């Protein structure tokens, strides 16, 4: 296995190779890992993520897995890196971590089988699929603001090639305390399956990232918290939660809410009406007057 990282070196993005506690560039320059300013290990054109994949998460939500994976999209402007700050906008309070493994595409991939998919993966890295559940009442379908707000897709610290994803441990640690812990053995769909599934209709190109799901026990974090995601063989991604400098604008759009579904999802997903009742219609009724038929 080889671990590649992208860092700022001499003011420019540079790909380096990890050698113990040192990062080395192809031109011979070196820097200690602890002194490096990290960038995301790849430059994606798209960031895709699966909704549910781990058995423990499904049980926590008191639901069943669908017959096939379902996905959402995180904008590339959400991309963040190892050591980067995670911004919780002022006026929001339900920001949750979700420790995950991320597959990174290495060459153009379209219409491949699961058996072939591994040949199109450059390597794997660690991700944290943060969710801003304050917007769940209005974005539950698309997850756009819930999962796509700026800084909410940290990935890193490096890209590891030739890593076998089978039977690997994954943990999320908040302020030194383990909060999530599971094994890839408990995923319903492995990385090769997810790549092949997406590539049936979406062309994947080098750098594209696929977040592959989180275990149970995603919970809120707060400004000042240090959140680390550790995956066996891939390393540890570390980020700090900070309060945003400005609140979400109140003169446009749906505002952050704190409904029963928002709170229950943030605290464990035990909302009894999940998938049955959509609260957004009551919170934000249509402003268009219905015409008599």
């Amino acid at each position: 296995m080889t671990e590649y990282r992208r860092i700022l070196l001499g003011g420019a993005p540079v790909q380096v190779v990890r050698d113990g506690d040192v990062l080395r560039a192809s031109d011979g320059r070196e820097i200690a890992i602890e002194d490096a300013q990290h960038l995301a290990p790849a430059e994606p054109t798209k960031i895709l993520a699966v909704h549910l994949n781990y058995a423990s998460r499904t049980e926590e939500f008191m639901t069943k897995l669908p017959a096939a994976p379902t996905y959402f999209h995180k904008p590339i402007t959400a991309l963040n890196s190892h050591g980067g700050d995670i911004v919780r906008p002022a006026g929001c309070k339900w920001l949750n971590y979700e420790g995950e493994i991320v597959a990174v595409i290495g060459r153009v991939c379209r219409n491949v089988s699961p058996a072939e998919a591994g040949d199109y993966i450059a390597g794997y890295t660690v991700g944290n699929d943060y969710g801003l559940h304050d917007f769940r009442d209005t974005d539950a379908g698309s997850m756009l603001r819930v999962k796509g707000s700026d800084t909410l897709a940290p990935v890193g610290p490096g890209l590891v090639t030739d890593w076998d994803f089978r039977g690997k441990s994954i943990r999320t640690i908040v302020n030194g305390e383990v909060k999530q812990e599971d094994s890839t053995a408990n995923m319903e769909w492995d990385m090769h399956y997810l790549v092949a599934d997406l590539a049936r209709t979406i062309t994947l190109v080098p750098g594209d990232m696929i977040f592959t799901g989180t275990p149970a026990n995603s919970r809120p974090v707060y400004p000042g918290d240090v959140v680390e995601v550790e995956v066996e063989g891939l390393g540890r991604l570390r980020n700090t939660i900070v309060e945003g400098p400005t609140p979400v604008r109140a003169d446009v759009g749906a505002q952050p809410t704190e409904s029963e579904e928002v709170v229950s999802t943030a605290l464990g997903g035990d909302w009894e009406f999940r998938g049955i009742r959509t609260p957004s219609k009551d919170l934000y009724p249509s402003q268009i007057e219905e015409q008599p038929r």
Side-chain angles (χ1 to χ4, degrees):
M1 295 189 298
T2 302
E3 181 177 344
Y4 296 94
R5 299 193 183 192
R6 290 178 67 248
I7 64 171
L8 283 178
L9 195 57
V14 175
Q15 185 182 70
V16 294
V17 177
R18 180 181 179 182
D19 183 5
D21 293 330
V22 173
L23 301 175
R24 290 194 174 92
S26 59
D27 60 8
R29 287 180 294 173
E30 298 181 358
I31 186 172
I33 286 179
E34 62 182 16
D35 296 330
Q37 182 176 348
H38 283 76
L39 305 171
E43 297 180 273
T45 68
K46 47 192 170 290
I47 305 170
L48 307 171
V50 66
H51 280 107
L52 289 174
N53 201 359
Y54 283 82
S56 62
R57 185 69 163 159
T58 306
E59 292 167 3
E60 181 180 38
F61 275 117
M62 298 189 300
T63 188
K64 295 180 180 179
L65 283 171
T70 61
Y71 303 93
F72 59 93
H73 183 218
K74 294 171 80 80
I76 58 173
T77 46
L79 189 63
N80 204 339
S81 61
H82 174 63
D85 289 339
I86 306 300
V87 178
R88 191 189 74 175
C92 295
K93 61 186 293 185
W94 300 108
L95 175 67
N96 280 43
Y97 56 79
E98 292 187 13
E100 306 202 10
I101 297 163
V102 178
V104 181
I105 299 300
R107 59 192 182 102
V108 175
C109 180
R110 180 71 162 82
N111 195 27
V112 301
S113 70
E116 298 168 322
D119 295 334
Y120 294 83
I121 297 174
Y124 298 89
T125 185
V126 186
N128 200 328
D129 179 23
Y130 282 94
L132 191 63
H133 292 295
D134 304 72
F135 285 104
R136 173 168 284 275
D137 284 331
T138 52
D139 283 15
S142 70
M143 302 290 281
L144 183 59
R145 286 169 292 194
V146 176
K147 295 301 187 77
S149 295
D150 291 353
T151 76
L152 299 192
V155 177
L159 176 70
V160 179
T161 64
D162 300 315
W163 178 74
D164 185 352
F165 56 73
R166 297 170 182 85
K168 296 299 191 294
S169 65
I170 177 171
R171 304 193 304 165
T172 301
I173 303 151
V174 180
N175 301 326
E177 183 179 350
V178 175
K179 297 294 187 178
Q180 289 183 296
E181 188 164 19
D182 213 321
S183 168
T184 57
N186 298 318
M187 298 172 71
E188 177 68 19
W189 299 291
D190 67 26
M191 287 62 166
H192 293 171
Y193 186 99
L194 298 176
V195 168
D197 185 19
L198 287 164
R200 291 183 303 158
T201 59
I202 299 173
T203 298
L204 305 175
V205 302
D208 285 353
M209 298 178 176
I210 300 172
F211 279 68
T212 59
T214 195
N217 297 320
S218 164
R219 295 293 185 272
V221 282
Y222 306 94
D225 286 345
V226 176
V227 184
E228 299 171 286
V229 182
E230 182 180 66
V231 178
E232 182 182 352
L234 296 182
R236 184 180 286 207
L237 170 70
R238 184 184 68 253
N239 299 96
T240 301
I241 312 301
V242 301
E243 185 80 10
T246 56
V248 174
R249 289 190 68 99
D251 57 348
V252 292
Q255 297 302 300
T257 58
E258 199 170 359
S259 70
E260 185 179 13
E261 181 176 18
V262 166
V263 175
S264 70
T265 299
L267 297 180
D270 58 351
W271 192 47
E272 60 180 317
F273 298 110
R274 182 172 308 284
I276 300 173
R277 191 175 79 199
T278 303
S280 58
K281 292 181 180 179
D282 297 328
L283 291 165
Y284 297 102
S286 173
Q287 301 301 307
I288 300 175
E289 183 177 348
E290 291 189 12
Q291 299 299 317
R293 295 183 180 275

